[in-house]
Amino acid sequence: MSQESSQIKSSPQVESSKTYQPTPEQLERWKRIDELESSCATGFLSQEEQDKNVEKFFATDYIDSQLERLRTHRKKLIEKFKWTEDYEELLLFEKQKQNAK
């Protein structure tokens, strides 16, 4: 049993697994993640990035999507308001019935 464990420890497969070497693609991806995280923490944007964000803000697709969100929200509010008015009418009706007794 001890011979088997000593053979496993000295096998080349176990030795190579201890020294993992990332691929160049992984290193590049990690570098990009580090760059994004550092800029996210500081919050500073280059002038080019700021201009791109402003263009995105005024882009037709962005405005259309915001209009759609606004209209959906307005529709939900109107439905909720209508339900509230109906409920108020029901309560007033019930109150009148009680006062009539």
Side-chain angles (χ1 to χ4, degrees):
M1 185 74 101
S2 65
Q3 284 181 347
E4 287 178 22
S5 63
S6 66
Q7 287 176 348
I8 291 173
K9 287 181 182 177
S10 64
S11 73
Q13 290 177 335
V14 174
E15 289 293 323
S16 66
S17 68
K18 290 182 182 179
T19 56
Y20 171 75
Q21 293 296 319
T23 65
E25 292 84 16
Q26 288 174 319
L27 290 173
E28 186 60 35
R29 187 177 318 133
W30 294 341
K31 180 181 175 187
R32 182 69 181 137
I33 289 171
D34 286 343
E35 290 171 358
L36 291 173
E37 286 178 347
S38 67
S39 66
C40 184
T42 60
F44 296 112
L45 296 175
S46 69
Q47 187 61 42
E48 181 180 309
E49 290 171 319
Q50 290 177 20
D51 292 342
K52 189 184 292 185
N53 286 343
V54 169
E55 286 177 26
K56 178 183 169 189
F57 179 78
F58 288 112
T60 306
D61 292 341
Y62 179 78
I63 293 172
D64 289 343
S65 69
Q66 291 300 313
L67 277 171
E68 185 61 34
R69 284 184 55 213
L70 178 71
R71 289 175 178 152
T72 302
H73 182 67
R74 182 181 63 194
K75 182 179 177 185
K76 288 179 183 179
L77 289 174
I78 290 171
E79 289 171 358
K80 189 172 183 177
F81 182 73
K82 177 67 175 142
W83 180 89
T84 304
E85 285 181 325
D86 292 344
Y87 188 58
E88 180 184 26
E89 287 180 24
L90 175 67
L91 291 175
L92 288 172
F93 178 75
E94 289 298 320
K95 185 176 181 179
Q96 288 174 353
K97 272 182 28 179
Q98 287 179 353
N99 290 340
K101 289 183 182 180

